[in-house]
Amino acid sequence: MEIIFFTMTTLIATIGPLDVGAVFAALSANYKKEVKKKIAFKATVVSMITLVFFALVGNILLTYLSISLAALKTSGGVLLFLIGLDLIFARHSGGVGTTDEEIEEASHKKDIEDIAVFPLATPLIAGPGSIGAIIILMSEQSGNLLNQSIIVVCLVVVVLMTYWCMLLADRVQKILGITGINVVSRMIGFILTGLAVQFVFDGIRESGLI
């Protein structure tokens, strides 16, 4: 249960299903319901493939690039801490979402496939924060196939939650409102900052510097 809670909290914070739903609602406002479903499905599939890919080959990439797990934990912890601060202060940066410039570019796209892949699938869902988080989570359980399988299942669940939030984006916004969404984001951000600091502590300890 501990690894499930830890993984779900980290991925929900870095992917941000509610935030994805809000951006999706804005970008797809002029589309028909059937088209919105197609966009959401395409974005979900692409982001799922991207994140599962990094989950499965993340350790191989680290070895090939000669990046130690300690270094990844430390750098990833710093990145996740900054993302946590963004959530706490209700700010949006490129680490866990799209920048204003990316949203502006996407708003002018007419190709549905392009909107689904960019900016929805990446960097909104499969962005630097979520990719870094899944690599760290999988690396920590290296050699433990059961725990790694649990992490992948949690990843699939969070991405499917994101898909659900995109389909129900308009309804969720009406129920929670901007304030409600920000309150949820702040709570998750607070937990994420604590997890991020622990990542940094673990990375420094495992590096042998102290």
Side-chain angles (χ1 to χ4, degrees):
M1 290 301 297
E2 180 180 351
I3 190 171
I4 293 176
F5 174 78
F6 186 79
T7 302
M8 291 292 290
T9 301
T10 302
L11 293 177
I12 288 175
T14 52
I15 293 176
L18 290 176
D19 291 331
V20 173
V23 174
F24 174 77
L27 292 177
S28 63
N30 297 323
Y31 292 117
K32 295 180 180 180
K33 187 175 182 179
E34 295 75 15
V35 178
K36 287 184 178 182
K37 288 182 178 180
K38 182 178 179 181
I39 296 173
F41 180 76
K42 176 72 174 183
T44 301
V45 171
V46 173
S47 60
M48 183 85 75
I49 292 174
T50 302
L51 290 172
V52 170
F53 170 79
F54 279 103
L56 297 179
V57 306
N59 277 325
I60 298 175
L61 289 176
L62 292 180
T63 302
Y64 179 76
L65 297 174
S66 299
I67 300 175
S68 67
L69 180 57
L72 184 67
K73 282 185 178 179
T74 304
S75 61
V78 172
L79 174 60
L80 295 179
F81 183 80
L82 294 176
I83 290 173
L85 289 182
D86 281 346
L87 293 175
I88 291 173
F89 292 106
R91 300 184 307 221
H92 297 282
S93 66
V96 70
T98 51
T99 62
D100 292 338
E101 292 79 8
E102 288 170 335
I103 293 177
E104 176 66 20
E105 180 180 344
S107 65
H108 295 297
K109 288 182 178 291
K110 296 181 179 180
D111 190 337
I112 293 175
E113 300 299 321
D114 283 347
I115 295 174
V117 175
F118 170 83
L120 291 175
T122 178
L124 196 57
I125 302 175
S130 55
I131 291 175
I134 195 64
I135 292 177
I136 293 175
L137 291 169
M138 291 292 284
S139 298
E140 280 195 318
Q141 302 300 325
S142 180
N144 190 327
L145 293 180
L146 175 60
N147 285 350
Q148 286 188 329
S149 298
I150 292 174
I151 292 173
V152 173
V153 171
C154 289
L155 170 61
V156 172
V157 170
V158 174
V159 175
L160 291 178
M161 286 173 55
T162 305
Y163 174 65
W164 178 78
C165 285
M166 284 191 285
L167 294 182
L168 300 178
D170 296 332
R171 192 175 304 174
V172 171
Q173 280 190 306
K174 288 180 181 179
I175 295 175
L176 295 180
I178 299 300
T179 300
I181 292 176
N182 285 340
V183 168
V184 174
S185 294
R186 288 186 174 103
M187 293 173 59
I188 296 176
F190 179 73
I191 297 175
L192 182 61
T193 53
L195 295 175
V197 171
Q198 188 61 55
F199 274 139
V200 174
F201 286 170
D202 292 344
I204 294 175
R205 183 179 65 251
E206 292 174 13
S207 69
L209 295 175
I210 298 178

